[in-house]
Amino acid sequence: MKAYKEMSKEELRALQVELKAQYEKLKEQGIKLDMSRGRPGADQLDLSAPMLDLLTSKVAFEGADGMDIRNYGVLDGIMEARELFAGMMDCSVDHILVCGNSSLNIMYDLVSRAMTHGIFGNTPWCKLDEVKFLCPVPGYDRHFAITESFGIQMINIPMDENGPDMDMVEKYVNNDPTVKGIWNVPKYTNPAGAVYSDKVVRRFANLKPAAPDFRIFWDNAYAIHDLYPENKTEILNIVTECEKAGNPDIYYEICSTSKVTFPGSGVAALVASPANLAETKKQMAIQTIGHDKLNQMRHVMFFKNADNMREHMKKHAEILRPKFEAVLDCLDREIGGLGIGTWIKPLGGYFIAFDTLEGCAKRTIALCKEAGVIMTPAGATYPYKKDPKDTSIRIAPTLPTPDELTKACEVFVLCIKLAAIEKILGEEA
Amino acid sequence: MKAYKEMSKEELRALQVELKAQYEKLKEQGIKLDMSRGRPGADQLDLSAPMLDLLTSKVAFEGADGMDIRNYGVLDGIMEARELFAGMMDCSVDHILVCGNSSLNIMYDLVSRAMTHGIFGNTPWCKLDEVKFLCPVPGYDRHFAITESFGIQMINIPMDENGPDMDMVEKYVNNDPTVKGIWNVPKYTNPAGAVYSDKVVRRFANLKPAAPDFRIFWDNAYAIHDLYPENKTEILNIVTECEKAGNPDIYYEICSTSKVTFPGSGVAALVASPANLAETKKQMAIQTIGHDKLNQMRHVMFFKNADNMREHMKKHAEILRPKFEAVLDCLDREIGGLGIGTWIKPLGGYFIAFDTLEGCAKRTIALCKEAGVIMTPAGATYPYKKDPKDTSIRIAPTLPTPDELTKACEVFVLCIKLAAIEKILGEEA
């Protein structure tokens, strides 16, 4: 294939006519597909359906804590669930606080409590003139929405396939006391699918923050969500690395079973040092008497231990792998060599990130929408929804069926091409 | 019986010797009983156990909203659950937001969001020098813990059997713009078991707050928790009354099934005007993608409608009535006529409040503890845990079995008497 930039204007215009005709034909098909959010498909949800048959009226309701798990209490989460999460996240039980159904809620509440109550006796952030968070980009839109909602100033940190630019992270964190946090999805970043290298994790653990209440938000959403489980990716354990570095309290790690069992009806947990957990629980005790222990027990009965959880994830991988590969194959086949976009092949997680030519992401997504394919809105993966170069597109291939995905990709690559040609020809959209 | 204050010192001392001997004998029995928290008993939890057999892997997971209820989304709660709560709280579905497992969490988050984001565009409370809440007393310790935790100044408002002193409430709310809220448990107050009269509810609805962001926190925790369902108590509907008064946005009403199905694994809801709900949902959308819709559906499948919920509550009443009556009978029999305490007979809810002679509550509770009976700590029912007259004791009769309760009451009344005699004789404890 010839790269578009090497083609003459005439060649490009001829190609444009041909592609536009294809586009009009696709539009006539009345396609309605959604690749905008990282939702599991119904077949993935079916994998956990048997969990719903286990906790019946016939079971004993006494937990390891010795109390009726149907009643109030046990703010920590039931011991059985804490052990399950300790196995999943590879840490000791005293680092685990099992919560409700949403890791996003845990993160929001951590920021909210830092705003109103402060961390470790430091001034509550709402009383400070300036609070900043570092935001590796492209990143998770819902992270940025939290900090934006609290009026926290967000600073873009570029990322490559090994993680964020750590020179920049260290410069900010170690020198600026108004920098209070950094958002991370360390394994299979959302959306690029990058994996933080050992060196990056160690540099995180060895930060020397200017702010005593600086925290690394380590949203390990895809900790066990490998697409190739036989050859899976491991990142260094943030708990161990921070302890080794003499920084045991510098991180909050968050995880959940939202994409293991049921989004919305899973269980989420906070992984943190005993000192961080003690502070969190003291504040959380004002907010709730306890989370849903029956749902915690349902998960424990289904999985029994973390090894079974990892086995279960292989079934997810079998469903997801063909979907990711369909998109990646299509990109390779249709876009490879044209010089109009880049992407990396993720080995896990829920997304593929595609980078268009500068100034083409919005237009590509608009063209997709016109043809009935909904993508995550352009800019969503950047703080304030502002992608400075307008290149970043997030592809969420999990919800559509493989057939739908093939159709959606056909539309998507066509729109990439059309937007790229317009750009090169200097045409206004 | 002769009132203690009419007895001579000699008579009192003789009685004291006799009671002390009884007390020492009781202590020897090694009693270990807990009347400190409003927890349902295991027999009450068993009433809802069949709910756990309904939502199995065999059911259809499509909700009225047309989506797979196992997946992400539906921040409002599933329509079926909203309809159930609308029936329970006697309002239209557009006033209902179904949330997670905890009404306390809803209330905490409402206060927290008012602190950080403000209400209806007004200055966030955390940016104000002074924020005050009115606290009808005695009241629910966890309400007061929320406002204390946020540094909100709390003002005691005396209550009688018809509700708070509304002259005082109106004086504060209508004149002081730093008064931003008032805590209420309007039906079967915690702990006194009082019921807000129609006049009180109407005066609430007709408040003319100096603060545009003033809200009535209407924690209708015991909305359908009548002990005598055939002859049940109704309070005026806060939704309707506020709308009639032209104050549709002045209240947040909160309710849950914590004491209908399972504490900790129930469902809680916010009842509020569409404008309040729109604002709450806008902020809540940053915090969570949605609550546990499977648990919402489990409740819908079990109850089908609010009438069945009310029928279900009759079974709770059958279990709880004898417990309340055991305590009340014991108080009547042992304390009646002695002039050393007052109480009202609650017709629902979870508590009985006992008022000792001034300065006797702490001592009574300490004596109980020494004999193995744990009561709610003295002062807990007042802001800052300070009961200015040291008279208020909260009795939670729901968790112990009837036999345990009889034993616990035996200890309790004895301790009331001993503390009263000490007081009258002017003895130091």
Side-chain angles (χ1 to χ4, degrees):
Chain A
M1 285 206 198
K2 197 168 175 183
Y4 280 15
K5 283 185 178 162
E6 289 163 14
M7 288 166 78
S8 69
K9 287 208 169 184
E10 290 64 39
E11 283 176 304
L12 278 175
R13 286 211 183 92
L15 180 59
Q16 190 179 34
V17 169
E18 189 188 319
L19 295 174
K20 272 190 177 167
Q22 287 177 30
Y23 181 71
E24 292 306 321
K25 267 179 84 176
L26 276 174
K27 266 174 42 176
E28 280 164 22
Q29 296 182 14
I31 295 166
K32 269 192 129 175
L33 294 168
D34 192 332
M35 294 206 294
S36 73
R37 302 277 359 155
R39 285 199 172 131
D43 45 358
Q44 289 179 267
L45 303 177
D46 288 341
L47 296 175
S48 300
M51 187 175 78
L52 300 173
D53 302 329
L54 301 175
L55 186 77
T56 69
S57 63
K58 307 294 180 293
V59 309
F61 292 104
E62 192 174 305
D65 306 274
M67 69 111 47
D68 191 324
I69 59 168
R70 300 171 302 180
N71 221 323
Y72 285 114
V74 194
L75 188 63
D76 284 332
I78 59 171
M79 184 49 81
E80 296 91 334
R82 293 174 65 204
E83 284 167 355
L84 182 65
F85 275 99
M88 172 183 169
M89 303 310 288
D90 196 18
C91 65
S92 61
V93 166
D94 64 347
H95 284 69
I96 298 281
L97 174 64
V98 182
C99 299
N101 75 325
S102 162
S103 59
L104 189 71
N105 204 327
I106 294 177
M107 292 183 272
Y108 179 98
D109 284 5
L110 284 168
V111 174
S112 185
R113 285 189 292 253
M115 291 294 294
T116 54
H117 291 76
I119 292 177
F120 279 18
N122 291 285
T123 308
W125 297 352
C126 74
K127 302 285 184 202
L128 301 174
D129 290 332
E130 205 170 22
V131 176
K132 301 193 195 99
F133 257 59
L134 306 184
C135 300
V137 286
Y140 180 31
D141 56 347
R142 293 188 191 271
H143 286 165
F144 305 152
I146 291 175
T147 24
E148 184 173 4
S149 157
F150 283 103
I152 293 171
Q153 191 188 324
M154 294 181 280
I155 297 166
N156 292 358
I157 304 288
M159 268 208 290
D160 65 19
E161 67 275 21
N162 294 311
D165 178 337
M166 290 308 294
D167 290 341
M168 207 167 158
V169 169
E170 285 164 0
K171 199 178 132 233
Y172 273 111
V173 174
N174 297 354
N175 295 294
D176 184 347
T178 70
V179 171
K180 300 295 189 187
I182 178 167
W183 290 118
N184 297 281
V185 179
K187 185 174 169 182
Y188 309 134
T189 63
N190 174 352
V195 176
Y196 284 20
S197 70
D198 291 356
K199 195 172 166 195
V200 163
V201 177
R202 285 204 187 94
R203 287 177 76 177
F204 265 109
N206 284 281
L207 286 170
K208 303 280 170 247
D213 50 353
F214 169 85
R215 288 292 180 276
I216 300 165
F217 284 73
W218 201 254
D219 180 3
N220 211 339
Y222 309 113
I224 57 171
H225 303 59
D226 309 289
L227 285 171
Y228 302 90
E230 303 308 332
N231 191 14
K232 71 182 172 202
T233 310
E234 295 283 6
I235 60 165
L236 282 184
N237 188 323
I238 191 73
V239 177
T240 325
E241 292 307 315
C242 291
E243 285 172 0
K244 273 198 257 174
N247 263 338
D249 303 319
I250 201 175
Y251 69 93
Y252 296 130
E253 185 176 21
I254 307 100
C255 62
S256 81
T257 72
S258 292
K259 291 177 180 98
V260 177
T261 59
F262 303 121
S265 301
V267 179
L270 173 62
V271 184
S273 68
N276 276 327
L277 288 190
E279 171 168 89
T280 299
K281 281 191 287 180
K282 200 178 147 201
Q283 297 174 341
M284 194 181 266
I286 308 293
Q287 187 180 22
T288 183
I289 307 176
H291 298 98
D292 184 344
K293 297 184 294 297
L294 289 179
N295 203 37
Q296 293 174 9
M297 185 57 94
R298 213 170 266 126
H299 280 71
V300 168
M301 291 174 83
F302 186 51
F303 288 121
K304 294 184 184 70
N305 58 52
D307 283 343
N308 291 332
M309 222 167 172
R310 284 176 227 276
E311 282 306 307
H312 180 79
M313 292 313 289
K314 291 183 184 170
K315 299 179 199 161
H316 281 284
E318 276 165 36
I319 294 171
L320 290 179
R321 218 162 35 229
K323 296 187 180 188
F324 275 77
E325 289 175 354
V327 174
L328 292 164
D329 287 349
C330 179
L331 290 175
D332 277 338
R333 192 175 59 240
E334 295 288 334
I335 307 292
L338 299 185
I340 57 171
T342 57
W343 62 95
I344 66 173
K345 185 190 171 189
L347 304 175
Y350 263 63
F351 301 102
I352 298 164
F354 183 87
D355 271 316
T356 64
L357 295 182
E358 278 197 35
C360 287
K362 258 190 204 147
R363 177 64 180 151
T364 303
I365 289 168
L367 285 165
C368 283
K369 192 178 174 187
E370 207 183 315
V373 174
I374 306 300
M375 309 291 296
T376 308
T381 56
Y382 278 75
Y384 310 108
K385 300 191 175 67
K386 280 183 203 154
D387 174 2
K389 295 185 179 168
D390 186 28
T391 62
S392 180
I393 296 180
R394 185 178 84 163
I395 306 167
T398 58
L399 188 60
T401 65
D403 281 355
E404 289 171 341
L405 211 56
T406 305
K407 180 57 75 182
C409 281
E410 194 185 334
V411 174
F412 179 55
V413 293
L414 192 57
C415 297
I416 295 169
K417 291 176 187 174
L418 283 168
I421 293 175
E422 280 174 10
K423 189 74 193 178
I424 297 168
L425 290 176
E427 290 174 354
E428 283 306 309
Chain B
M1 285 207 199
K2 197 168 175 182
Y4 280 16
K5 283 186 178 163
E6 289 163 14
M7 288 167 78
S8 69
K9 288 206 169 185
E10 289 65 38
E11 282 176 305
L12 278 175
R13 285 208 186 93
L15 180 60
Q16 190 179 34
V17 169
E18 191 188 317
L19 295 174
K20 271 190 178 166
Q22 288 177 29
Y23 182 71
E24 291 307 321
K25 268 177 83 175
L26 276 174
K27 267 176 38 180
E28 281 165 20
Q29 296 183 13
I31 296 167
K32 269 193 130 176
L33 294 168
D34 193 332
M35 294 206 294
S36 73
R37 301 279 354 158
R39 283 198 174 132
D43 45 359
Q44 288 178 268
L45 303 177
D46 288 341
L47 296 174
S48 299
M51 186 174 78
L52 300 173
D53 302 330
L54 300 175
L55 187 78
T56 70
S57 62
K58 306 296 180 293
V59 308
F61 293 105
E62 193 174 306
D65 306 272
M67 69 113 44
D68 192 325
I69 58 168
R70 300 171 301 180
N71 220 323
Y72 285 114
V74 195
L75 187 63
D76 284 333
I78 60 172
M79 184 49 80
E80 296 92 332
R82 293 173 65 204
E83 284 167 354
L84 182 64
F85 274 99
M88 172 183 171
M89 303 310 288
D90 195 18
C91 66
S92 62
V93 166
D94 64 346
H95 285 69
I96 298 282
L97 175 63
V98 182
C99 299
N101 75 325
S102 161
S103 59
L104 189 70
N105 205 325
I106 295 177
M107 291 183 272
Y108 179 98
D109 284 5
L110 285 168
V111 173
S112 184
R113 286 189 293 253
M115 291 295 294
T116 55
H117 291 74
I119 292 175
F120 279 17
N122 291 285
T123 308
W125 297 352
C126 74
K127 301 286 184 202
L128 301 174
D129 290 330
E130 205 170 22
V131 176
K132 300 193 196 101
F133 257 58
L134 306 184
C135 301
V137 287
Y140 180 30
D141 55 348
R142 293 188 191 272
H143 286 165
F144 305 152
I146 291 175
T147 24
E148 183 172 3
S149 157
F150 283 103
I152 293 171
Q153 191 188 324
M154 294 182 279
I155 297 166
N156 293 359
I157 304 288
M159 269 208 289
D160 65 19
E161 67 275 20
N162 295 311
D165 177 337
M166 290 308 295
D167 290 341
M168 207 166 157
V169 170
E170 286 165 358
K171 200 179 130 232
Y172 273 112
V173 174
N174 297 354
N175 295 294
D176 184 347
T178 70
V179 171
K180 300 295 190 187
I182 178 167
W183 291 118
N184 297 281
V185 180
K187 186 174 167 182
Y188 310 133
T189 63
N190 173 352
V195 175
Y196 284 19
S197 70
D198 291 357
K199 197 175 165 190
V200 163
V201 177
R202 286 205 187 94
R203 287 178 76 176
F204 265 109
N206 283 282
L207 286 170
K208 301 282 168 246
D213 50 353
F214 170 85
R215 288 292 181 275
I216 300 165
F217 284 73
W218 201 254
D219 181 3
N220 211 340
Y222 309 114
I224 57 172
H225 303 59
D226 309 289
L227 285 172
Y228 301 90
E230 303 309 332
N231 191 13
K232 71 182 173 202
T233 310
E234 296 283 5
I235 60 165
L236 281 184
N237 189 324
I238 191 74
V239 177
T240 325
E241 292 306 315
C242 290
E243 285 172 0
K244 273 198 257 174
N247 263 337
D249 304 320
I250 201 177
Y251 69 94
Y252 295 130
E253 185 176 20
I254 308 98
C255 62
S256 82
T257 72
S258 293
K259 292 178 180 96
V260 178
T261 58
F262 302 123
S265 301
V267 179
L270 173 62
V271 183
S273 68
N276 276 326
L277 288 189
E279 172 169 89
T280 299
K281 281 191 289 180
K282 200 178 146 200
Q283 296 174 342
M284 194 182 266
I286 309 293
Q287 187 181 23
T288 184
I289 307 176
H291 298 98
D292 185 344
K293 297 184 293 297
L294 288 180
N295 203 37
Q296 293 173 9
M297 186 57 94
R298 213 170 265 126
H299 280 71
V300 168
M301 292 175 82
F302 186 51
F303 289 120
K304 294 184 183 70
N305 58 52
D307 283 343
N308 290 331
M309 222 165 172
R310 284 176 228 276
E311 282 305 307
H312 180 79
M313 292 312 290
K314 291 183 185 171
K315 299 179 198 162
H316 281 284
E318 276 164 36
I319 294 171
L320 290 179
R321 220 164 31 232
K323 296 187 179 186
F324 275 76
E325 289 175 354
V327 174
L328 291 164
D329 287 350
C330 179
L331 290 175
D332 277 339
R333 192 175 58 242
E334 296 287 334
I335 307 293
L338 299 185
I340 57 171
T342 57
W343 63 96
I344 65 172
K345 185 191 171 189
L347 303 176
Y350 262 63
F351 301 102
I352 297 163
F354 183 86
D355 272 315
T356 64
L357 294 182
E358 278 197 36
C360 286
K362 258 191 203 145
R363 177 64 180 150
T364 303
I365 288 167
L367 284 166
C368 283
K369 191 177 174 188
E370 207 184 314
V373 174
I374 306 300
M375 309 292 296
T376 308
T381 56
Y382 279 74
Y384 309 108
K385 301 192 175 69
K386 280 182 202 154
D387 174 1
K389 294 185 179 167
D390 186 28
T391 61
S392 181
I393 295 180
R394 185 178 83 164
I395 306 167
T398 58
L399 188 60
T401 64
D403 280 355
E404 290 170 340
L405 210 56
T406 305
K407 179 58 75 183
C409 281
E410 194 184 336
V411 174
F412 179 54
V413 293
L414 192 57
C415 297
I416 296 168
K417 290 177 189 172
L418 283 168
I421 292 175
E422 282 174 8
K423 190 73 194 177
I424 297 167
L425 290 176
E427 290 173 353
E428 283 307 308

